[in-house]
């Protein structure tokens, strides 16, 4: 547990590895690694965090201010929300240059569940969930320059299920490849609500059980620039 009064009293904690191919933190499939409390400021660099398990946040539960750079999250599991990371309401989560591979959650957020989530230049590959690979619900969130490849939505429901769910924020310069919802008639790509800005996003071979690819919206106001590849029926 990391429980420091950094915001109110100053300071931070940095955990720096020698490289994500050299420094490994392993949960041995029985435990999470970090529980970051409110008012704490934590930086993680150059690590691989793998084989973790918890109810919410397979590897990390964040209630404070967490920044991640050049890290891998592999084979992490949550029995409820956030296969790799669960970020509480009011917490801040910033991730750059990182990879999320083969993580799983039984409910929301196969890789990440949170509210204020800021992602730049990250890859999400081979993650599995019943609902969303990433779940974000805050107007300050953004997803920039990320790749989503071979992610699977397993649910049979048509509710808010997608690779990326965002209720407010910006989605810019991302690529979705071979993402699927093989048992659902919901979208395999984006489910959006609130005020959303979409620009220069590309979708390649992403389909639901009806061989459709589309954006699904709940009362969203959005500007969009989205490119689809391969011939199919599109509802957008």
């Amino acid at each position: 547990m990391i429980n420091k009064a950094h915001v109110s009293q100053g300071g931070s904690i940095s955990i720096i590895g020698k490289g994500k191919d050299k420094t490994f933190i392993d949960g041995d499939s029985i435990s999470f690694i970090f529980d970051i409390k409110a008012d704490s400021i934590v930086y993680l660099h150059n690590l691989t965090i793998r084989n973790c398990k918890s109810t919410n946040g397979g590897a990390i539960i964040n209630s404070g201010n967490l920044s991640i750079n050049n890290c891998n999250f592999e084979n992490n599991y949550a029995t409820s929300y956030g296969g790799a990371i669960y970020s509480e309401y009011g917490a801040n989560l910033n991730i750059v240059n990182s990879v999320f591979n083969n993580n799983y959650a039984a409910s929301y957020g196969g890789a990440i569940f949170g509210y204020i989530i800021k992602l730049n230049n990250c890859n999400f590959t081979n993650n599995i969930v019943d609902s969303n690979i990433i779940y974000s619900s805050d107007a300050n969130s953004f997803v920039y320059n990320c790749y989503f490849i071979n992610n699977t939505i397993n649910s049979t429901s048509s509710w808010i299920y997608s690779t990326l769910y965002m209720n407010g924020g910006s989605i810019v310069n991302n690529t979705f490849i071979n993402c699927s919802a093989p048992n659902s008639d919901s979208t395999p790509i984006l489910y959006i609500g609130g005020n959303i800005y979409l620009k220069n996003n590309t979708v390649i071979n992403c389909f639901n059980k009806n061989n459709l690819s589309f954006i699904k919206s709940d009362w969203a106001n959005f500007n969009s620039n989205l490119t689809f590849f391969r011939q199919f029926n599109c509802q957008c």
Side-chain angles (χ1 to χ4, degrees):
M1 178 188 297
I2 299 175
N3 189 11
K4 300 292 183 180
H6 295 136
V7 173
S8 58
Q9 298 182 17
S12 64
I13 291 176
S14 295
I15 300 173
I16 304 173
K18 291 186 176 181
K20 58 188 179 182
D21 59 339
K22 296 178 181 178
T23 303
F24 299 90
I25 302 176
D26 198 308
D28 201 25
S29 299
I30 58 173
S31 178
F32 64 90
I33 300 299
F34 296 113
D35 183 359
I36 300 167
K37 296 301 184 182
D39 212 28
S40 298
I41 299 174
V42 177
Y43 298 91
L44 303 179
H45 301 270
N46 306 329
L47 305 169
T48 287
I49 300 176
R50 64 189 185 186
N51 302 325
C52 300
K53 183 179 180 181
S54 186
T55 302
N56 291 321
I60 297 174
I61 303 167
N62 175 44
S63 303
N65 300 276
L66 174 60
S67 295
I68 298 170
N69 181 31
N70 196 40
C71 291
N72 284 350
F73 291 83
E74 299 177 352
N75 305 322
N76 299 296
Y77 176 85
T79 57
S80 188
Y81 295 174
I85 300 173
Y86 180 89
S87 194
E88 298 271 6
Y89 180 78
N92 293 290
L93 178 62
N94 299 277
I95 307 175
V96 297
N97 303 324
S98 295
V99 175
F100 291 76
N101 181 59
N102 199 36
N103 300 286
Y104 174 81
S107 188
Y108 292 92
I112 301 170
F113 178 96
Y115 295 87
I116 303 175
I117 298 174
K118 298 177 180 180
L119 306 174
N120 194 355
N121 196 35
C122 295
N123 290 347
F124 296 85
T125 58
N126 304 309
N127 300 288
I128 300 173
V129 73
D130 278 354
S131 54
N132 322 101
I133 301 302
I134 296 175
Y135 180 102
S136 170
S137 185
D138 191 278
N140 294 306
S141 295
F142 61 73
V143 179
Y144 295 161
N145 308 308
C146 293
Y147 279 82
F148 299 86
I149 303 173
N150 296 331
N151 298 290
T152 303
I153 312 301
N154 270 338
S155 176
T156 59
S157 172
S158 61
W159 200 44
I160 57 171
Y161 299 139
S162 58
T163 295
L164 174 60
Y165 172 85
M166 289 185 68
N167 186 12
S170 299
I171 305 170
V172 179
N173 294 334
N174 302 289
T175 301
F176 299 80
I177 303 173
N178 297 331
C179 294
S180 64
N183 305 310
S184 173
D185 57 6
S186 188
T187 171
I189 315 161
L190 296 173
Y191 198 119
I192 57 177
N195 293 310
I196 290 283
Y197 179 68
L198 295 172
K199 183 178 180 181
N200 296 337
N201 297 283
T202 300
V203 178
I204 303 173
N205 293 337
C206 296
F207 301 101
N208 67 5
K209 71 175 185 179
N210 299 318
N211 205 36
L212 296 174
S213 194
F214 54 93
I215 300 172
K216 195 168 183 179
S217 170
D218 252 349
W219 305 291
N221 298 310
F222 65 95
N223 295 314
S224 65
N225 182 347
L226 190 68
T227 302
F228 291 85
F229 287 96
R230 190 182 151 188
Q231 183 178 356
F232 54 80
N233 296 320
C234 175
Q235 300 174 352
C236 54

